[in-house]
Amino acid sequence: MSLPALLEQRLRLPVVAAPMFLVSTPELVLACSNAGIVGSFPALNQRDSAGFRAWLDEIEAGLMAGAAPYAVNLIVHHSNPRLQADLAICVEKQVPIIITSLGTVREVVDAVHSYGGLVFHDVTTRRHAEKAAEAGVDGLIAVAAGAGGHAGTWSPFALVSEIRQFFDKTLLLAGCLNHGHEILAAQMLGADLAYLGTRFIATRQSNADTPYKQMILDAKAADIVHTPAVSGVPASFMRQSLEAAGYDLKRLTDKADVNYGEKLKPISDEAKAWKTVWSAGQGVGDISDLPTVEELVKRLDNEYRAALQRASQLGQRWPR
């Protein structure tokens, strides 16, 4: 295990609730952090930097004694005109953890390190991971095949294994994690923390619309389509929402049509698209309820402890 001091002994479970575009708000962040796991949200879920600052104030005011740290997701890409302004606010407010996406920049890492903050960067391949490691990030988020959002296509076994060949800092794993035994499995693979997204969309404190949550309850793994058509970067979406938005499913699943939406769209256009086209991971087939975050974390905790007990007994079944 490789946890920075900021997280050591401050988490009820080794879990980070992923920052989800248009879904994660202060209500969800506070519910997660106050329940003992890292809550997070994308800065761009607020329409402007002033609103982003107000959300940070709201979160700081709502954190209970002993709460887990929270995180902010910043898009480190030239398509994000707010990066510098939002980063300056994060430095001013000393946001504990910054999750960077779509690019790593040494200046961003240095800015966060200037006040003792942590930078975790999400990656889908070894090349992306190597670049982020060179930039000095504190942690890598291995977004494996089957994850929601901007997911990769690598097996978690391959992705974690190759990253661990050169990276000994904090490693998080994302992709189809819904239960406590799956959190333990992520650790057994070599990750330090589990990164859960889709499971937290289907909670009471999630900002997702009711039809979005219901679609997650109804969908199965076969309904997830991995495509660059929505934002220009490959991401996972529910087939039903793509069809409702008028996307040509035949084109999306035609491997010969690789140019369908391959250019990253401006942030404003992407926000419009994601509002009607709903992302989820392949783990939807194992989600059947809408608990509160508190109820979900308690369930995950019980499942995790039970899995630890089962794992400790496995050696007895396979004597040398």
Side-chain angles (χ1 to χ4, degrees):
M1 295 290 291
S2 177
L3 286 182
L6 179 67
L7 295 178
E8 196 69 56
Q9 301 298 314
R10 293 192 61 189
L11 301 180
R12 177 177 181 178
L13 280 171
V15 170
V16 173
M20 294 170 286
F21 199 39
L22 305 180
V23 170
S24 303
T25 63
E27 182 180 8
L28 182 59
V29 173
L30 286 169
C32 290
S33 291
N34 286 333
I37 65 172
V38 176
S40 68
F41 74 100
L44 293 176
N45 276 4
Q46 258 289 1
R47 292 186 177 183
D48 54 39
S49 294
F52 170 54
R53 180 193 293 273
W55 271 13
L56 291 179
D57 290 338
E58 181 180 347
I59 290 170
E60 288 289 347
L63 289 171
M64 299 167 55
Y70 69 95
V72 165
N73 176 222
L74 296 179
I75 302 299
V76 185
H77 189 273
H78 61 76
S79 64
N80 179 13
R82 282 175 42 189
L83 174 60
Q84 293 305 319
D86 290 348
L87 175 61
I89 293 172
C90 289
V91 173
E92 176 193 340
K93 297 292 186 180
Q94 299 192 4
V95 173
I97 304 169
I98 300 297
I99 297 171
T100 53
S101 303
L102 300 178
T104 50
V105 179
R106 168 67 74 167
E107 289 74 17
V108 172
V109 175
D110 290 344
V112 177
H113 285 174
S114 71
Y115 63 84
L118 301 174
V119 178
F120 293 165
H121 183 70
D122 57 23
V123 300
T124 58
T125 67
R126 177 177 182 140
R127 180 175 64 85
H128 294 149
E130 289 173 337
K131 284 188 171 183
E134 291 172 2
V137 300
D138 303 285
L140 293 173
I141 304 165
V143 187
H150 292 126
T153 58
W154 286 32
S155 159
F157 289 90
L159 189 55
V160 170
S161 176
E162 292 209 15
I163 290 174
R164 276 304 188 206
Q165 291 175 21
F166 62 89
F167 190 76
D168 61 0
K169 297 181 183 178
T170 304
L171 180 60
L172 300 84
L173 178 62
C176 306
L177 305 178
N178 291 323
H179 297 287
H181 61 270
E182 293 161 349
I183 296 170
L184 180 59
Q187 292 182 306
M188 293 299 98
L189 278 181
D192 301 295
L193 301 168
Y195 198 70
L196 280 65
T198 304
R199 175 61 269 194
F200 282 91
I201 299 176
T203 59
R204 303 284 181 83
Q205 290 96 334
S206 157
N207 192 51
D209 294 335
T210 298
Y212 186 173
K213 295 179 181 180
Q214 187 60 50
M215 189 175 290
I216 285 181
L217 298 182
D218 296 337
K220 304 300 181 187
D223 293 315
I224 304 303
V225 179
H226 190 245
T227 175
V230 177
S231 66
V233 176
S236 299
F237 300 93
M238 287 184 284
R239 171 187 56 78
Q240 298 90 328
S241 68
L242 287 164
E243 290 176 331
Y247 282 83
D248 185 341
L249 266 293
K250 186 177 185 304
R251 288 189 69 188
L252 295 185
T253 55
D254 185 355
K255 296 187 182 302
D257 196 355
V258 295
N259 295 317
Y260 190 17
E262 66 177 7
K263 184 178 180 181
L264 186 65
K265 295 182 179 181
I267 292 296
S268 57
D269 289 348
E270 185 173 358
K272 294 175 185 176
W274 284 62
K275 191 169 185 179
T276 56
V277 183
W278 297 330
S279 177
Q282 292 177 2
V284 289
D286 198 26
I287 297 176
S288 59
D289 63 349
L290 296 171
T292 65
V293 168
E294 294 82 357
E295 291 167 343
L296 177 58
V297 171
K298 182 178 180 180
R299 180 195 307 170
L300 292 172
D301 193 5
N302 289 337
E303 292 171 343
Y304 180 77
R305 309 297 166 185
L308 283 170
Q309 288 292 324
R310 291 197 302 273
S312 68
Q313 298 168 4
L314 283 177
Q316 301 173 17
R317 298 185 59 188
W318 311 105
R320 292 182 178 180

